[in-house]
Amino acid sequence: SLLPPFLALLCFGAPASALRAVGPTPPASPRRAEARTEAAAAAAAAAEDEPWCPYKVVAEGSAGGRLCFRTPARGFQCSARACRAHRSPGGALVANVLRNGSVLLQWAPPRPAAGLRGFALNCSWDGTYTRFPCDSVELGAACRDYLLPEAHGSVRYRLCLQPRVAPPRPAPPAHCVEFRVEPAAMRDIVVAMTAVGGTICVMLVFICLLVAYITENLMSPAAGAPRRA
């Protein structure tokens, strides 16, 4: 009969090995806790350095645009020979005007970044008598730059970046930057004039050296001749 063993189990309790098997989980060791912390930090850094920037270009007068993705230009720095940087008041938004006519916009994340849903980029440019709107862009919260592939020369642009946050948080103020793109023809003229000016400077140096040589050696031959008695 199984009744006596069952009563003995109830009286004396379960073995220690069984209690250890069903007992509470021991606390994690400090090394495991540190490893979990490092893994969480790595995951947060990977989320911050997201390799894709979702954006949508909305043409003037249209209801919506097509969703696209681009690779962020992280670590880009504007050099004096390749581009010219224009900063908004406060320096939160930077427009890097490149020599090929494109414009790379860079901005810092708003502080605080809680509730950030994305950014809205509004564009306009000055005409002869009025200001004309251009295509606006809607960007994801992970975006930190955007490239304008082609900009008109001799036109003054105004770009404003507006962060979008979840309600009921108030929207941060927009950052605006203005710049003018140098026309391609003018860039070619400047490059040609620089090359010609350098050539002329080199030629002038050779001419000056030649004149000095002639003056020293040919125009005054009697200076080195011996005097007759």
Side-chain angles (χ1 to χ4, degrees), residues 26-88:
S29 62
R31 293 184 178 179
R32 291 183 179 180
E34 184 179 356
R36 291 179 181 178
T37 304
E38 293 178 356
E48 182 68 21
D49 297 337
E50 187 175 355
W52 298 105
C53 168
Y55 69 96
K56 183 186 297 185
V57 179
V58 182
E60 180 66 21
S62 62
R66 185 179 62 179
L67 181 63
C68 302
F69 297 86
R70 61 178 300 271
T71 304
R74 301 188 185 276
F76 174 83
Q77 295 182 355
C78 181
S79 60
R81 296 182 178 180
C83 70
R84 184 177 181 184
H86 302 265
R87 299 180 180 274
S88 63

Side-chain angles (χ1 to χ4, degrees), residues 3-16:
L3 183 58
F6 181 75
L7 293 177
L9 179 63
L10 291 179
C11 294
F12 297 102

Side-chain angles (χ1 to χ4, degrees), residues 119-138:
F119 302 91
L121 182 64
N122 298 318
C123 172
S124 61
W125 56 278
D126 285 338
T128 306
Y129 301 102
T130 184
R131 179 177 289 271
F132 296 94
C134 44
D135 296 343
S136 59
V137 185
E138 298 177 0

